[in-house]
Amino acid sequence: MKPNILIKISFVALFASASLLTAKGENHKSETILYTTYQSGGSDWVAPKYVEKLKNPLAGNAKATKDGKILFNTNCVTCHGDKGEGNGPSAATLNPKPKNLTSKQVQEQPDGALYWKITTGKPPMLSWQQTLNEKQRWSLVNYIRELRKK
Ligand code: HEC
């Protein structure tokens, strides 16, 4: 191996680990850690511990919350219902049923866990990673917090 290739490789490794440590929502490299598969078998969908540390880069951003509402109404209501209560028109045919996003069980989870679940998906909910960008997915987390207040 030529020395300059080695330098390049170690630079990439350094960059990747630095990105993992900072885990910024806007940082594309941080997305690689989100490919981890969900736990199957159990009835509860539990996000892995490490995602709890992900910081919501749009926390408290009112414009993002508004965007999140539009995204929710476009992409999520057919299953989760217009108030997020899990009773959308498609819900009846699904197994397991869409979660009630206003519930204590969902609202108690950190932003990072909800972001991870939206990103990863779990059948019958597909992953939103390819359809919605990081900003859009964090905006949805913001809006899910709004649903609690209603
Ligand atoms: C095809 C129907 C469907 C659509 C569309 C859908 N979901 Fe889901 N969603 C589900 C189901 C079913 C679950 C429960 C999965 C489980 O617990 O096994 C779920 C779970 C979730 C959870 C995790 C709740 C928990 O258990 O902690 C979140 C968060 C979520 N959905 C957000 C969204 C958002 C945001 C959108 C729109 C971008 C969306 N969903 C679109 C069906 C759907």
Side-chain angles (χ1 to χ4, degrees):
M1 227 184 270
K2 283 181 194 163
N4 61 343
I5 291 176
L6 272 176
I7 289 167
K8 269 182 204 156
I9 289 172
S10 48
F11 180 74
V12 167
L14 190 74
F15 184 70
S17 51
S19 312
L20 284 175
L21 283 173
T22 52
K24 287 196 185 115
E26 288 296 316
N27 188 327
H28 182 69
K29 285 280 187 261
S30 68
E31 280 287 281
T32 52
I33 64 170
L34 295 167
Y35 278 109
T36 324
T37 48
Y38 53 86
Q39 291 181 351
S40 53
S43 53
D44 271 342
W45 185 13
V46 182
K49 257 305 193 224
Y50 67 84
V51 300
E52 293 179 6
K53 284 186 234 119
L54 292 175
K55 280 259 177 305
N56 181 349
L58 301 173
N61 182 324
K63 162 84 171 65
T65 307
K66 240 174 111 185
D67 293 346
K69 180 177 184 172
I70 296 165
L71 289 165
F72 191 85
N73 288 337
T74 315
N75 299 289
C76 321
V77 293
T78 79
C79 296
H80 287 280
D82 58 356
K83 293 191 176 73
E85 290 167 339
N87 53 0
S90 311
T93 59
L94 298 176
N95 183 26
K97 296 275 174 259
K99 281 280 155 61
N100 179 349
L101 301 177
T102 71
S103 67
K104 205 173 156 207
Q105 195 209 334
V106 171
Q107 293 292 339
E108 271 175 350
Q109 297 172 47
D111 281 10
L114 299 180
Y115 176 79
W116 178 85
K117 289 183 177 182
I118 296 167
T119 302
T120 316
K122 177 175 178 294
M125 180 167 83
L126 300 174
S127 159
W128 293 95
Q129 188 162 32
Q130 307 302 325
T131 326
L132 303 171
N133 65 33
E134 292 179 42
K135 216 171 159 180
Q136 290 172 316
R137 279 175 271 137
W138 282 117
S139 301
L140 280 161
V141 173
N142 276 16
Y143 182 62
I144 290 172
R145 297 303 183 199
E146 281 295 299
L147 294 171
R148 166 185 48 188
K149 293 169 198 156
K150 279 169 193 161

